[in-house]
């Protein structure tokens, strides 16, 4: 039996995200769309994950914790943890390596973290979507040391992806690759072409045989659940102690290995 | 030299025209937005191929007055909307970053394109 999963979601902590998308609201909307395994992945910070850990289990959702990290190359990659404390430890380390550029809420939006009742607990100082001062290769090694997995995000997008920043998918300890569409196709800008990229044919992206997922990359309430994927694992196997307990990392990795490859 | 004068000298198209036509205080060329944030100067132009709305967000944070998109990259509507909201000029040219930077350097330092 497959579980509906979505591993890429933002909340009110991301300056580009909606203030209406609190961890609680995200979980409620995802639950209404039948999602059973849900990750919170704000830009370069896991500070909304403690609230997320509290709101998911009562809705029957198994939570995963993490962030969407931005590397030196400006590649976005999901860092996912089954353990909340590990995710927070990683978040603290990553934030110590962020470009120290202050966020201006008036100009780019708020970066607030909240509790499980949506009460604001604090605000993050530096502009979160900035790059962290390490390479994608280093990210892969380092997240593994903290006990997490890495899924390069929207690898087939024309910005902030492996395809846009490096031209190709590179090898690494990736648990899977997140794609916008399956099978993934890339649409390089075509100088002088009047045809919008969405209507051009594009070319297939070589994904090096990695398992592939999709996810919503939700920033607004209406985006929640727009691109979930199926995880081929039983809830009892993935969550041996129920959704209030910690997800089993090995079962998660094994389920990801069963995802389609192209 | 103002933004409109620079656009005319560069032969660039003004795609987002709702802005205050002030003097350009220099320029910075980069395709990494974190580098732009760390090093670009207030009131200048940004020469780049990053044609999406995140470029506008970064331009807003560092007070860039004008984004010059090179290589005729397609400009998404949401980028232009964001630039309109912020009063940031968006110029489009078929030339690459090297050529535009060279011309702009001459314009801003000597008053005439070579």
């Amino acid at each position: 039996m497959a579980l509906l999963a979505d591993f890429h979601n933002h909340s009110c902590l991301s300056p580009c995200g909606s203030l209406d998308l609190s961890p609680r609201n995200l979980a409620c909307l995802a639950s209404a769309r039948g999602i059973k395994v849900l990750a919170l992945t704000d830009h370069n910070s896991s500070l909304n994950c403690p609230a997320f850990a509290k709101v998911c289990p009562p809705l029957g959702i198994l939570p995963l914790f993490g962030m969407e990290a931005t590397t030196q190359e400006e590649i976005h990659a999901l860092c996912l943890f089954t353990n909340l404390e590990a995710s927070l430890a990683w978040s603290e380390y990553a934030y110590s390596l962020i470009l120290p550029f202050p966020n201006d809420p008036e100009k780019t939006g708020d970066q607030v973290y909240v509790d499980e009742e949506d009460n604001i607990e604090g605000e993050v100082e530096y502009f979160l979507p900035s790059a962290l001062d390490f390479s994608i290769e280093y990210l892969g090694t380092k997240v593994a040391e903290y006990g997490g997995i890495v899924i390069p995000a929207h690898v087939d997008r024309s910005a902030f992806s492996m395809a846009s920043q490096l031209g190709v998918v590179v090898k690494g300890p990736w648990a899977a690759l997140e794609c916008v569409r399956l099978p993934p196709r890339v649409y390089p800008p075509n100088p002088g072409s009047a045809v919008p990229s969405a209507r051009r044919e594009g070319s297939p992206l070589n994904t090096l045989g990695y398992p592939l997922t999709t996810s919503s990359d939700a920033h607004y309430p209406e985006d929640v659940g727009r691109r979930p994927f199926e995880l081929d694992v039983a809830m009892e196997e993935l969550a041996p102690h129920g959704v209030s307990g910690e997800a089993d990392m090995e079962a998660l990795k094994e389920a990801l290995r069963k995802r389609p490859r192209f | 030299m103002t933004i409109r004068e620079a656009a005319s000298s560069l032969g660039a198209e003004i795609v987002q025209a709702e802005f205050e036509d002030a003097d350009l205080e220099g320029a910075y060329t980069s395709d990494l937005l974190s580098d732009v944030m760390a090093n670009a100067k207030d009131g200048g132009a940004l020469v780049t191929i990053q044609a999406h709305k995140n470029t506008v967000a970064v331009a807003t944070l560092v007070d860039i007055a004008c984004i010059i998109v090179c290589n005729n990259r397609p400009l998404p509507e949401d980028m232009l909307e964001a630039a309109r909201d912020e009063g940031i000029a968006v110029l489009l040219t078929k030339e690459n970053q090297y050529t535009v930077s060279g011309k702009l350097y001459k314009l801003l330092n000597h008053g005439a394109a070579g």
Side-chain angles (χ1 to χ4, degrees):
Chain A
M1 198 197 84
L3 299 173
L4 205 54
D6 201 319
F7 285 1
H8 189 165
N9 296 285
H10 294 266
S11 71
C12 50
L13 177 56
S14 296
C16 42
S18 165
L19 265 186
D20 295 333
L21 203 54
S22 64
R24 164 175 294 279
N25 203 10
L26 169 65
C28 288
L29 290 166
S31 164
R33 286 161 173 75
I35 291 163
K36 296 293 177 196
V37 189
L38 185 68
L40 179 59
T41 53
D42 282 303
H43 290 292
N44 292 333
S45 178
S46 301
L47 282 175
N48 257 348
C49 286
F52 188 65
K54 289 182 182 159
V55 296
C56 285
L59 294 161
I61 292 176
L62 181 67
L64 297 177
F65 314 107
M67 67 166 61
E68 180 180 26
T70 307
T71 67
Q72 278 168 342
E73 305 93 334
E74 295 186 352
I75 295 170
H76 288 181
L78 303 177
C79 309
L80 297 174
F81 298 82
T82 52
N83 179 276
L84 176 63
E85 281 69 37
S87 152
L88 292 172
W90 165 253
S91 175
E92 198 177 336
Y93 172 69
Y95 190 71
S96 75
L97 294 173
I98 199 168
L99 179 73
F101 194 95
N103 182 48
D104 183 343
E106 293 288 315
K107 291 180 172 175
T108 44
D110 296 292
Q111 299 187 152
V112 295
Y113 50 99
V114 299
D115 67 11
E116 66 275 20
E117 306 288 345
D118 296 359
N119 300 306
I120 293 176
E121 294 203 311
E123 205 173 331
V124 174
E125 181 185 5
Y126 297 139
F127 184 59
L128 282 173
S130 296
L132 303 170
D133 197 10
F134 50 62
S135 67
I136 182 75
E137 191 186 1
Y138 180 87
L139 173 85
T141 315
K142 213 63 189 167
V143 169
E145 284 175 20
Y146 278 77
I149 56 171
V150 175
I151 300 179
H154 41 62
V155 290
D156 49 342
R157 249 188 66 187
S158 58
F160 303 119
S161 69
M162 276 189 175
S164 74
Q165 303 308 99
L166 303 179
V168 291
V169 170
V170 294
K171 280 187 187 168
W174 325 131
L177 302 176
E178 181 200 302
C179 303
V180 176
R181 59 189 75 72
L182 291 177
R185 298 185 78 81
V186 284
Y187 300 84
N190 185 359
S193 168
V195 184
S197 61
R199 281 196 279 126
R200 300 206 312 265
E201 196 183 330
S203 48
L205 177 67
N206 182 356
T207 48
L208 304 179
Y210 282 103
L212 306 179
T213 65
T214 58
S215 279
S216 294
D217 196 359
H219 284 74
Y220 297 90
E222 58 268 33
D223 302 335
V224 177
R226 65 179 166 176
R227 281 193 296 266
F229 68 100
E230 287 191 341
L231 206 51
D232 186 9
V233 62
M235 187 56 101
E236 299 72 39
E237 204 184 336
L238 189 59
H241 308 290
V243 293
S244 306
E246 192 174 301
D248 185 293
M249 183 53 101
E250 290 313 310
L252 176 64
K253 287 182 185 171
E254 181 54 33
L256 282 169
R257 278 195 282 272
K258 292 189 208 162
R259 287 288 306 163
R261 302 160 193 251
F262 287 98
Chain B
M1 169 163 289
T2 69
I3 295 169
R4 284 183 193 281
E5 287 166 351
S8 160
S9 298
L10 291 169
E13 181 190 349
I14 301 175
V15 188
Q16 198 302 97
E18 292 175 35
F19 60 90
E20 196 185 326
D21 194 21
D23 275 331
L24 279 175
E25 304 284 334
Y28 194 74
T29 302
S30 184
D31 294 321
L32 274 185
L33 296 180
S34 47
D35 173 52
V36 174
M37 282 176 60
N39 297 307
K41 300 283 185 292
D42 288 9
L46 170 63
V47 180
T48 189
I49 54 168
Q50 292 292 353
H52 46 78
K53 71 173 180 183
N54 295 283
T55 311
V56 177
V58 167
T60 305
L61 276 176
V62 290
D63 286 324
I64 280 167
C66 166
I67 299 169
I68 306 178
V69 176
C70 298
N71 282 349
N72 258 350
R73 288 259 182 166
L75 297 171
E77 191 46 46
D78 61 355
M79 176 191 183
L80 297 176
E81 251 172 58
R84 204 173 298 130
D85 290 346
E86 299 292 343
I88 293 172
V90 180
L91 275 44
L92 182 65
T93 165
K94 63 179 191 306
E95 292 178 327
N96 65 27
Q97 299 96 305
Y98 166 74
T99 307
V100 173
S101 304
K103 286 185 175 178
L104 211 49
Y105 182 81
K106 282 192 174 179
L107 285 168
L108 296 180
N109 291 281
H110 306 291

